[in-house]
Amino acid sequence: MKLSKILGITLISLGLSMPVVAQQAGGQQGDQVDRLSQIVGLSPEQEKEIRGILDEMQTKIQALQVEAQQLQQQLQAQIKPNYDEEAIREEAEELGDLTGEISALSTLMQAKVDEVFTDEQREKLNQRMKQMQEQMQQMQQQQRMQQGMQQPGQ
C-alpha cells in the first residue's frame, strides 16, 4: 500500500472517528461526511451508507474509549507508595486489550467506508491526501526554520 494511501486513510480515520465530545458538540459526523462528499463527490446513497457505517462503528468505539479512559484513571490512582503491582498489571493488560479493539474497530470502519467509494473517488481522495501531506510538510519545514531563527537570539 502506498504511503499516500496509508496517510489518507489515517487522516480520514482521524476525521471520521471523532471522540464522543466532538459528536456531542453538534453534528461533527455530518460535517465530516459533507466534507468527504465535497472532496470525492459522493452520491446521496453513498452519503447515507457512510453515515450508517459511522453511526454503527462510532457507537462501539466511543463506548470502548470511555471504558479505556476509566481504566487509565484507575491506573493513575495506583501511583502511590502502597501500590498494588498485580492490579496495575491486570488493568494495564485490560487497557491494552481495549486499545487493540479500538484500533481494530477504527480500521474496520475505515475499510467499510473505503468500500463505498468508486475507483475514481479513491483516486480523488488519494490526490487530495497527497496535497494535504505536502502542505503539512511545508508547514513543518517553515516551523523548523522559524525555530532555528529564534534559537541563536535566546
Side-chain angles (χ1 to χ4, degrees):
M1 190 180 283
K2 292 182 181 177
L3 177 62
S4 63
K5 185 168 184 174
I6 293 170
L7 178 64
I9 290 170
T10 303
L11 290 173
I12 289 171
S13 169
L14 292 173
L16 294 178
S17 60
M18 299 304 265
V20 178
V21 177
Q23 196 171 29
Q24 290 174 347
Q28 188 69 28
Q29 171 201 326
D31 293 341
Q32 294 296 326
V33 175
D34 292 343
R35 201 171 325 159
L36 189 57
S37 184
Q38 289 174 355
I39 294 170
V40 301
L42 297 174
S43 71
E45 294 82 18
Q46 287 175 308
E47 287 184 26
K48 183 178 178 181
E49 189 172 351
I50 290 172
R51 282 192 177 91
I53 292 167
L54 297 179
D55 284 343
E56 173 194 351
M57 301 299 285
Q58 285 182 331
T59 300
K60 294 176 185 177
I61 291 169
Q62 290 165 354
L64 292 174
Q65 287 173 332
V66 169
E67 193 176 339
Q69 188 175 32
Q70 290 170 346
L71 267 174
Q72 185 65 44
Q73 290 171 353
Q74 290 173 3
L75 277 168
Q76 291 296 316
Q78 288 290 345
I79 302 173
K80 56 188 177 186
N82 57 342
Y83 62 90
D84 180 349
E85 183 174 349
E86 186 176 331
I88 291 171
R89 291 188 181 281
E90 286 175 12
E91 290 169 358
E93 185 175 345
E94 191 176 342
L95 182 59
D97 291 345
L98 279 173
T99 56
E101 183 63 16
I102 290 168
S103 294
L105 288 173
S106 294
T107 302
L108 287 168
M109 180 176 63
Q110 294 169 49
K112 287 179 180 189
V113 168
D114 188 66
E115 191 174 48
V116 174
F117 298 141
T118 64
D119 290 339
E120 183 179 290
Q121 290 169 327
R122 276 188 206 94
E123 182 59 32
K124 282 182 185 179
L125 186 59
N126 286 338
Q127 289 173 357
R128 178 70 173 133
M129 292 304 123
K130 186 177 179 182
Q131 289 173 348
M132 290 175 65
Q133 181 184 15
E134 289 170 359
Q135 289 172 350
M136 287 173 51
Q137 288 173 345
Q138 288 174 355
M139 288 173 42
Q140 289 172 346
Q141 187 176 19
Q142 288 174 350
Q143 287 176 345
R144 284 193 293 265
M145 289 176 57
Q146 289 174 350
Q147 289 173 351
M149 293 172 63
Q150 292 174 357
Q151 295 279 336
Q154 293 179 343

